[in-house]
Amino acid sequence: MLIISQNARNYDIPFPNNTILRINLAWVNNLSELKELLKKNHEYSIFLDLPVGRIKPPNNKYTLAELIPIISDHKNIKYFAVSNIEKKLDLDVYVKIIPKDITIIPKIESPQGITNIEEITASIPSSD
């Protein structure tokens, strides 16, 4: 699996057809920009990265209520990453609302997350 930043598309670099583009929502200024990125990159599978608990800039924030209609309208979104997952409970809201055809990726970034890794990964409704 090859995952690259969508920003790499700004440099006339050829990518294999199975390349997955990562869109980090921390760097997306507004939802219109997100929609434009998804439209521009419709031929690629998308790894959408939601920075939860980010304190360093940029620190754009979007609610799940704002994101779900966009996610549902763009079938090329195949992965949804969530930062700072420390326990199963942190992931539950995403498991309930993210469409089932999207693989949820919990980003485990703390000692507590490592301690709870089995509980966290067991709660992901995917075999990927």
Side-chain angles (χ1 to χ4, degrees):
M1 178 184 303
L2 174 63
I3 301 174
I4 63 163
S5 168
Q6 88 278 358
N7 294 320
R9 295 255 302 136
N10 298 332
Y11 299 102
D12 280 341
I13 301 169
F15 300 115
N17 291 339
N18 61 346
T19 299
I20 299 167
L21 296 184
R22 175 180 175 255
I23 297 176
N24 184 344
L25 289 170
W27 293 91
V28 176
N29 295 315
N30 55 57
L31 294 174
S32 295
E33 184 179 318
L34 173 60
K35 290 176 190 176
E36 188 58 36
L37 279 169
L38 292 167
K39 181 179 175 184
K40 175 182 172 186
N41 296 296
H42 69 276
E43 71 274 18
Y44 292 100
S45 292
I46 300 294
F47 182 108
L48 195 59
D49 195 339
L50 180 65
V52 174
R54 183 181 174 104
I55 54 174
K56 62 184 179 181
N59 194 12
N60 298 316
K61 295 183 178 178
Y62 305 101
T63 67
L64 273 178
E66 293 172 313
L67 292 172
I68 289 300
I70 296 169
I71 292 169
S72 296
D73 287 345
H74 294 87
K75 298 302 179 192
N76 60 326
I77 298 174
K78 303 295 183 189
Y79 305 92
F80 187 83
V82 184
S83 301
N84 295 309
I85 300 297
E86 294 188 331
K87 56 191 175 296
K88 175 189 176 296
L89 186 63
D90 296 338
L91 202 56
D92 283 349
V93 65
Y94 303 99
V95 169
K96 289 177 186 169
I97 199 165
I98 297 298
K100 301 301 179 217
D101 59 331
I102 295 175
T103 301
I104 298 172
I105 311 293
K107 293 172 65 179
I108 297 169
E109 306 175 59
S110 71
Q112 184 179 1
I114 297 296
T115 299
N116 297 326
I117 198 164
E118 288 183 24
E119 167 190 292
I120 293 166
T121 55
S123 71
I124 301 169
S126 173
S127 60
D128 290 344

